[in-house]
Amino acid sequence: MSQTVKAIRIEKNGGPEVLQWVQVDLPAPQDKEVTIRQKAVGLNFIDIYFRNGLYSHPLPHGLGFEAAGVVEAVGSAVTHLKVGDRVAYGQSPLGAYAQARNVPADRVVRIPDAVSFEQAAALMLKGLTCWYLLRQTYRVHEGQTILFHAAAGGVGLYACQWARALGVKLIGTVSSPEKAKLAKEHGAWEVIDYSREDVVQRVLELTGGHKVPVVYDGVGKDTWERSLDCLQPRGLMVSFGNASGPVTGVNLGILASKGSLYVTRPVLGAYVPTQQAMQEAADELFDLVVQGKIKVLIGQRFPLEQVAQAHEALAARRTTGSTVLTLE
């Protein structure tokens, strides 16, 4: 049965002013979908890329990939979920900024009772990003030293905690003393304030001249060269985001001259291609939360209809931890 709900839509790319809070029709779920009445929505930098057009998508469209809520209706071919289940998702078609929506059921996972809707919404995309970065793209192990940019950001704070739980020494880069303190409190072994310190020099000092086997870089253009200079010969550069703009015009010869380096540009979807893989990854993540090894830091909350303010704060790097968009 169809219904009317409110949701954020954009009709053109641009700044936060293009975000519109409007009524939309929500049809009954198709065979392989579930309808979710949403309780909390996660905010991520990729939402800004789709709003401003860095990542293109046919207009008009919604925004957001991540939310948590309660299953309200189930398509006829769905067997792993039922009405009333507490669920979350971090990989969906655009459109999470909504009171309720239909989501492909194979992208939806059950959440434990010990994990709140806000925690799940704050955690899914960022937490599963940490899962594939630290457990799949490059499987870090106890005793290693690694470099992680933007360590006080939404993904970074989970990476700090996960690395600590694994016995890994995470060197985090940050932009202020306040963010340095936050990253240390969440498990960073050492922190480099790039506004005051030379990142490459500090990495050399902290590693006794050995550098690191892997750099995780979600910043992009501004940190690309420095990241390569922090890697050991045959080290891996994991470029997983573009917060400062995309990396372009890469000369592969640089990788040779800096020590036969490797580079990868991973995305979550390639690591969780099936519902079973998605649930298994989420279970590993939720288990660390239930054990208290990962604490979900929600630094900011905005009502969903005020999401423009949330986008402004995120783009200006005035946020710490995760930002959650709330629904009544």
Side-chain angles (χ1 to χ4, degrees), residues 172-222:
T173 70
V174 297
S175 60
S176 70
E178 294 76 21
K179 290 189 174 185
K181 182 174 182 288
L182 192 63
K184 288 277 281 192
E185 288 171 352
H186 282 75
W189 173 62
E190 289 289 351
V191 180
I192 302 170
D193 183 344
Y194 62 78
S195 69
R196 303 158 181 248
E197 300 175 284
D198 183 298
V199 173
V200 178
Q201 186 60 38
R202 284 291 289 142
V203 167
L204 282 168
E205 293 169 2
L206 291 168
T207 60
H210 294 296
K211 302 187 179 181
V212 296
V214 61
V215 175
Y216 296 102
D217 189 341
V219 177
K221 175 172 65 72
D222 289 354

Side-chain angles (χ1 to χ4, degrees), residues 121-323:
L123 190 63
M124 280 296 291
L125 188 53
K126 300 176 188 71
L128 290 178
T129 296
C130 282
W131 169 79
Y132 83 73
L133 290 175
L134 300 178
R135 309 294 286 154
Q136 301 290 320
T137 305
Y138 182 97
R139 195 172 181 88
V140 299
H141 57 77
E142 186 175 0
Q144 281 187 312
T145 303
I146 65 175
L147 180 65
F148 205 104
H149 288 296
V155 175
L157 289 178
Y158 296 132
C160 289
Q161 296 178 79
W162 209 320
R164 178 173 60 185
L166 294 169
V168 172
K169 296 178 177 179
L170 183 148
I171 302 170
T173 70
V174 297
S175 60
S176 70
E178 294 76 21
K179 290 189 174 185
K181 182 174 182 288
L182 192 63
K184 288 277 281 192
E185 288 171 352
H186 282 75
W189 173 62
E190 289 289 351
V191 180
I192 302 170
D193 183 344
Y194 62 78
S195 69
R196 303 158 181 248
E197 300 175 284
D198 183 298
V199 173
V200 178
Q201 186 60 38
R202 284 291 289 142
V203 167
L204 282 168
E205 293 169 2
L206 291 168
T207 60
H210 294 296
K211 302 187 179 181
V212 296
V214 61
V215 175
Y216 296 102
D217 189 341
V219 177
K221 175 172 65 72
D222 289 354
T223 48
W224 168 257
E225 289 280 356
R226 279 177 288 175
S227 293
L228 297 180
D229 287 336
C230 292
L231 282 166
Q232 298 168 358
R234 293 184 296 167
L236 176 64
M237 167 67 173
V238 183
S239 177
F240 69 96
N242 314 294
S244 67
V247 177
T248 58
V250 176
N251 175 2
L252 292 179
I254 292 175
L255 304 180
S257 66
K258 293 184 183 294
S260 297
L261 303 179
Y262 294 87
V263 176
T264 185
R265 181 60 174 88
V267 293
L268 173 59
Y271 292 90
V272 284
T274 66
Q275 196 284 323
Q276 181 180 350
M278 178 77 82
Q279 187 70 58
E280 288 174 356
D283 287 345
E284 185 175 351
L285 174 62
F286 292 144
D287 188 50
L288 289 169
V289 175
V290 173
Q291 291 179 46
K293 292 181 178 178
I294 287 183
K295 289 183 168 48
V296 183
L297 175 66
I298 299 173
Q300 305 75 216
R301 291 173 175 83
F302 295 84
L304 179 54
E305 61 267 31
Q306 295 176 19
V307 67
Q309 296 176 29
H311 274 226
E312 289 171 356
L314 183 62
R317 302 194 187 183
R318 296 196 305 267
T319 64
T320 53
S322 299
T323 299

Side-chain angles (χ1 to χ4, degrees), residues 110-124:
R110 296 177 305 282
I111 58 177
D113 290 341
V115 175
S116 73
F117 292 119
E118 286 195 358
Q119 286 177 316
L123 190 63
M124 280 296 291

Side-chain angles (χ1 to χ4, degrees), residues 68-71 81-88 108-118 120:
V70 177
V71 175
L81 297 170
K82 64 183 185 303
V83 172
D85 279 351
R86 301 173 74 252
V87 295
V108 178
V109 300
R110 296 177 305 282
I111 58 177
D113 290 341
V115 175
S116 73
F117 292 119
E118 286 195 358

Side-chain angles (χ1 to χ4, degrees), residues 27-72:
Q30 296 184 11
D31 290 352
K32 296 181 180 181
E33 293 180 333
V34 293
T35 303
I36 300 174
R37 176 62 57 174
Q38 305 201 134
K39 303 295 186 180
V41 177
L43 178 72
N44 297 281
F45 229 102
I46 194 171
D47 302 350
I48 293 176
Y49 301 154
F50 277 98
R51 188 205 72 217
N52 65 22
L54 177 63
Y55 291 174
S56 62
H57 191 274
L59 291 161
H61 62 71
L63 285 178
F65 293 95
E66 169 181 57
V70 177
V71 175
E72 198 171 65

